[in-house]
Amino acid sequence: MSAAPVVLTYEHIQLTQGGVPLIAGTTMKVVELVMAQMAYGWSPEELHFQHPYLSLGQIHAALAYYWD
């Protein structure tokens, strides 16, 4: 017996036609936010401070999308 595939959706993430994940309503790629977190060790709250145009929901969705 095989398990049915699981489809995950993220409210704040959209894919470009080329399949690149962006934070919905912005031009910021998910990987850009993740790389900032990795490079500087920033928490989601610090990412929000550095990028005030993003909501904490958008930030958490981007991080969850990346790590999933």
Side-chain angles (χ1 to χ4, degrees):
M1 181 188 280
S2 63
V6 175
V7 178
L8 298 176
T9 59
Y10 296 86
E11 180 179 348
H12 298 292
I13 305 301
Q14 63 188 35
L15 298 177
T16 65
Q17 289 182 349
V20 177
L22 300 176
I23 298 174
T26 73
T27 58
M28 179 174 270
K29 296 175 185 174
V30 167
V31 70
E32 292 178 88
L33 194 68
V34 172
M35 293 306 293
Q37 183 189 40
M38 291 178 154
Y40 302 111
W42 289 343
S43 67
E45 291 78 13
E46 181 64 23
L47 288 167
H48 178 60
F49 179 78
Q50 297 294 329
H51 304 281
Y53 52 90
L54 298 176
S55 70
L56 278 173
Q58 288 172 310
I59 291 167
H60 282 284
L63 297 175
Y65 179 88
Y66 178 81
W67 291 109
D68 279 349

